Amino acid sequence: MITTTAIESTAELTEQERAQAARLEAVWREPTGFWGWFKAVHHTTIGKRYAVTAFGFFLLAGLLAGGMRLQLAFPEAHILSNDLYNQFFTMHGSTMMFLFAVPMMFEAMSVYLVPLMVGTRNIAFPRLNAYSYYLYLFGGLMFYVAFACNTGADRGWFSYVPLAGPDYGPGKRPDFWAQLITFTEVSGLAVAVETIVTVFKLRAPGMSLNRIPIFVWGQVVVAFMVIFSLPGVVLSSTMLLMDRTCNTQFFNPAAGGDVLLYQHLFWWFGHPEVYIIFIPGAAIISTIVTSFSRRHVFGYLVLVLSLVATGFMAFGLWVHHMFATGIPQIAESYFTAASMVIAIPTGAQVFCWIATIATGKVVLKTPMWWAIGFFFVFIMGGMTGMFVASVPVDLQVHDTYFVVAHFHYVLIGGAVFPLFGAITYWFPKVTGRMLNETLGQLTFWLFFIGFNITFFPMHLVGIRGMPRRVYTYQPNMGWTTLNQVESLGYVLLFLAVCVLLVNVSRSLRSGAIAGPNPWNAGTLEWATSSPPPQYNFLHLPTVNGREALWDAAPNQPIVAGLPDDARSFLITRTLDAEPEGRDEFPGPTIWPFLAAVATSIAFIGSIFTPWGITIGAIPVAITMIGWFWPERQPAQRRRAREIWQSE
Amino acid sequence: MAERVERPVLDVSRLPTVGFGSRSITWWGIMGMMAIEGTVFVLMIASYFYLHSRNSEWPPHRNPPDLLWGTVNLVLFLISVVPSEWYRRRARKGDLRAVQIGLVLVSLFGIGNVIVRYFELWHLNTDWSIDAYGSAVWTLMGLHVLHLLTDLVDTIVLTVIFFTPLVEGKRFQDAEENAAYWYFVVGFWIPIYLVIYWAPRWLHA
């Protein structure tokens, strides 16, 4: 491993710097012990928890997929009952979308990496961040406890009415689904606000808008999309819950309601959701391609504008999920055109990546392999996306396995391939140790081949008319062989993930020591030791170019003058990142955890009675007031040193 | 060990610690919350009109909500902006007395709004469970009630803090931002009032 960046390791620290590090260490130390776990507020701690939890849900949902593949490997099989199969595919889809994809690609990545990449010491609103994690965790646990009690959601990952409504969805299964949405949306929205504020106000001096790393741009675009799209599903799932528990009539046609209102609101969120998952993937690819092509990325401005354009356009496509619902033809034409247009910014990104690779000195390590796999798989998915954007084709393949194949190509291609690349790429930063290269490449090839064996035949079986969401099929349909091939592919995917887990567990114990910057990359997270200390940077950095470490001047200035007896941070201006103020992060506390417990009781209670929300709001309010109540000592310390802005 | 060259530093020790508006981190947080909640309001209003487009009669078989209490609340909300804006401006100067008085006044206004809201709910002339129109009216109202109550509790807690020795610059930032959030609650009442009270009358004609 070569480390050429001019970053001091501990051995080179002066006496003075050692003393400073000790002071920062004392101020930033996360609490220890059993209760300490519930008080932690540092973004690296919470980010790791998000990542591990989301990966746990990924494994669970993957096992559910295995159950489905086993069932479908043989015609007229009875390994899973039809009822259990319904729960399996709904739990699989809902988990992958709400408990894995968004929490992993957005929350985990953003919370861990964005503050490091912009050169600050914590994420904005660290207590809100802790609160968001606990809500996410509790929501997921609730969902799986219900599943273990035979109350797993079973109406598809979008829980359409009327199937999920009070007339056709008896029991509590759709209610648990609706509240899972509530839990995950609150956590997603919280992280969205934290991300935007961190990037807008906490960047290192010199990191003007045109120097923000593309990965960070991607997460900001996603954060804005979360803010404007999630309210759609907030409303649709709340209306669903209210129709079921307090007799509102939103989706009851007999009382002036309308089932398509549900679909409009759901897809107002659901389509941007696809890009919420994909944009971080694209941003990861830009990062990996830059680092492993050993040059500044080609077309930075095009890449950033493509991400922003995708973010806007994603809000104009939702009706293409509803082509089969009998909407007016003029609307169909518009949404077909819009669906075609969104391929343009993605295409522009692909060309920039190709140009970067073609003109760089490519280093073919595991993360780069995942990027190459991403090109192949995602572009395949994009192609079939163009097919289904066209109304006649869509009507033909609607609700068949062709669609299943299409969205697994875009979602696994657009998110899981970049994610596995990202795991290999940032594992050394997070843990301080390298993953094994041989095992990493073995994972890649097993996954890449297994993926195509599993999902490519789904196009064919879909064209042959096999519908989605059927628990079995007759032997004379001509689908048996293709289904068996798909199930064999699953075995390879399973092995790939096993190898990854072995690699991770071995490397955690005995992997090669990574050092601060094992890939010799250019962004700021590599400017500090691996894993980063809890104050992130001994000296807050300043930035001189798009790749902060590659472009640093020989004597790049550092920030001085922040008090090191408090969790101080620097506020900079949004556009040019000129320093404009100082503030303090709040420290560790149990309140966000207590507030999350109170909120969870209210959410889960409302599945059973509307009073759950009204009475449940009281403990929520009490814990929130406890959380916001100022502490005397820090208040006095701050007051003694206050400098007010001049008007 | 070789002599180390001192790295140049960017000294930030004289930068302000108390800033208002876009200089304050929490101001940005509040703006984010407003963007989220504003989108919820807008989508709920859109849903109201979507449901209207699916019904031949609106409101179906009954009178629109009575105008009196909703209009009283609108007037009350608009008047409350005066003390609110006054203490918001004084907060930027660190005027403790003015902020205390302003917060008490706005808390009282909030309590008044909640009382009038109670009467409003009795004069909506519909129930949430009769039909989709009723569900939409009550949900719109419920969303606004939720925001009104949240901000009222916030304002009262902040008022209490302002009478303790815990006051510092950050609390003046809070006061300024609390006023901004109140404007959001007031500002969204205008379209919601028009939708709940006037849309059925205009659409009916």
Side-chain angles (χ1 to χ4, degrees), chain A residues 273-438:
Chain A
E273 163 91 343
V274 176
Y275 292 92
I276 287 171
I277 294 168
F278 163 64
I279 287 180
I284 289 168
I285 295 299
S286 291
T287 311
I288 291 178
V289 162
T290 308
S291 292
F292 290 88
S293 298
R294 316 298 320 142
R295 57 156 290 173
H296 287 72
V297 75
F298 178 88
Y300 172 89
L301 192 62
V302 176
L303 286 165
V304 172
L305 290 179
S306 295
L307 294 175
V308 175
T310 308
F312 276 102
M313 287 182 197
F315 284 88
L317 311 181
W318 82 92
V319 173
H320 75 204
H321 297 270
M322 299 165 63
F323 281 157
T325 59
I327 49 157
Q329 212 165 15
I330 183 79
E332 291 183 343
S333 310
Y334 166 79
F335 282 98
T336 291
S339 310
M340 303 270 177
V341 168
I342 201 159
I344 295 172
T346 307
Q349 290 188 76
V350 172
F351 288 123
C352 288
W353 294 325
I354 292 173
T356 309
I357 294 171
T359 56
K361 296 194 192 80
V362 177
V363 182
L364 216 48
K365 290 283 177 65
T366 315
M368 195 60 183
W369 277 112
W370 286 107
I372 292 167
F374 156 88
F375 289 143
F376 181 81
V377 173
F378 183 76
I379 290 173
M380 278 278 296
M383 293 295 180
T384 53
M386 304 303 283
F387 296 179
V388 290
S390 144
V391 177
V393 179
D394 186 72
L395 289 178
Q396 182 66 31
V397 298
H398 183 78
D399 263 350
T400 70
Y401 264 88
F402 187 87
V403 177
V404 179
H406 159 69
F407 68 67
H408 281 90
Y409 266 83
V410 282
L411 290 174
I412 297 186
V416 178
F417 275 76
L419 172 72
F420 283 12
I423 290 175
T424 335
Y425 183 66
W426 279 298
F427 187 86
K429 178 48 62 186
V430 178
T431 65
R433 289 177 185 273
M434 306 296 290
L435 281 173
N436 181 291
E437 184 65 23
T438 317

Side-chain angles (χ1 to χ4, degrees), chain A residues 12 14 125 200-201 228 232 246-247 249-250 255-256 258 555-558 560 581-583 638-639 642-643 645, chain B residues 4 8-10 12 15-20 22-23 50 54-55 128-129 131-132 135 139 165 167-170:
Chain A
E12 298 169 6
T14 62
F125 316 126
F200 277 17
K201 297 305 289 177
F228 292 112
C246 23
N247 303 319
Q249 308 288 349
F250 285 109
D258 190 274
N555 59 347
Q556 186 69 27
I558 51 176
R582 295 175 295 148
D583 204 341
R638 282 190 296 259
R639 196 167 48 202
E642 257 167 24
I643 304 175
Q645 81 177 58
Chain B
R4 277 171 62 99
V9 295
L10 178 69
V12 297
L15 286 176
T17 60
V18 181
F20 294 92
S22 68
R23 287 163 166 255
Y50 181 88
R54 303 278 128 179
N55 282 268
W128 62 82
S129 61
D131 52 27
S135 308
T139 306
V167 180
E168 54 166 319
K170 266 184 189 295

Side-chain angles (χ1 to χ4, degrees), chain A residues 247-267:
Chain A
N247 303 319
T248 56
Q249 308 288 349
F250 285 109
F251 308 126
N252 179 5
D258 190 274
V259 290
L260 281 193
L261 173 62
Y262 183 89
Q263 294 197 21
H264 280 296
L265 287 172
F266 183 85
W267 290 113

